[in-house]
Amino acid sequence: MKEVIVKDADLQQAALEGMDEFLQVFVKAIYDAIGGQLTAENMGELNTDQLTLLAWDTLHKEVMDGGFVQLIYNGYGPYIFKNPLAKVLRLWDMRAPSKLIYDAHTLWLKHREEIEKDLSDEEFMALFEQFPDFDNLDDQFVEHEEEWVEDIAHYVDDHIEQFAIIK
């Protein structure tokens, strides 16, 4: 396992700034420990909790920026839906986001070929009209985002040794 180190001062400062900032300290430290990018080669250097946090971070950024259609179009479908993110979130006692990911997975399987094509900007924007099934999931995510980020931050804080060494 890679040694992931978080400076206590950075953690204290981030905790004052908010839950997102708190989680980003861990996300940054994990990426720093593996050379800045998650690859098939370095995935084995991280534990399940660390991998789940990175997957959540990707899901969170993509869905908050452009919804599940954007996440899928940008090539993250396999990363989010073929990995155990939803299962691990359920184990973390986060049933609502887990269910949302399973629901999005079902739509991804149904529509992935059309969404994952190379498209012009105009064609990409049209995807949002073509696949309104994702709108409800996007809305649910945005509606509960703060609560879910808080839940994840509490999980990380309660299991800090699974994510990093604090120095």
Side-chain angles (χ1 to χ4, degrees):
M1 281 298 134
K2 271 288 185 197
E3 190 172 87
V4 176
I5 298 175
V6 168
K7 292 180 185 170
D8 189 46
D10 293 344
L11 199 54
Q12 299 301 326
Q13 180 61 40
L16 295 173
E17 293 173 17
M19 300 293 179
D20 287 309
E21 292 80 0
F22 175 80
L23 291 176
Q24 283 308 305
V25 169
F26 290 94
V27 169
K28 182 183 179 319
I30 294 166
Y31 276 122
D32 287 349
I34 58 171
Q37 186 176 355
L38 186 63
T39 64
E41 291 77 35
N42 64 22
M43 273 183 138
E45 298 175 12
L46 300 175
N47 66 38
T48 301
D49 285 340
Q50 292 165 330
L51 290 167
T52 300
L53 183 59
L54 295 185
W56 168 262
D57 183 63
T58 298
L59 172 76
H60 180 254
K61 286 176 179 165
E62 288 292 317
V63 174
M64 291 303 289
D65 189 47
F68 281 99
V69 168
Q70 176 180 300
L71 176 138
I72 294 164
Y73 179 75
N74 285 341
Y76 292 111
Y79 176 54
I80 297 302
F81 302 123
K82 286 189 171 183
N83 285 312
L85 174 61
K87 181 180 181 179
V88 175
L89 289 178
R90 195 174 69 239
L91 294 172
W92 288 5
D93 205 24
M94 295 186 61
R95 295 190 187 292
S98 174
K99 182 184 179 327
L100 184 78
I101 294 165
Y102 281 124
D103 291 346
H105 182 195
T106 300
L107 291 176
W108 172 67
L109 290 172
K110 183 177 177 183
H111 301 297
R112 69 181 287 193
E113 286 182 25
E114 299 107 307
I115 298 173
E116 291 175 350
K117 290 180 186 172
D118 281 335
L119 302 171
S120 68
D121 287 346
E122 192 174 289
E123 291 169 325
F124 167 70
M125 293 309 289
L127 289 175
F128 294 96
E129 298 295 322
Q130 287 176 273
F131 302 106
D133 296 355
F134 287 101
D135 291 349
N136 185 40
L137 300 180
D138 295 343
D139 291 347
Q140 284 180 52
F141 191 94
V142 171
E143 184 178 321
H144 296 284
E145 179 263 346
E146 284 186 32
E147 168 193 344
W148 294 344
V149 166
E150 187 174 324
D151 289 345
I152 288 177
H154 285 299
Y155 183 87
V156 170
D157 195 37
D158 291 344
H159 302 88
I160 217 156
E161 70 285 348
Q162 289 296 111
F163 296 92
I165 298 164
I166 311 303
K167 289 193 175 188

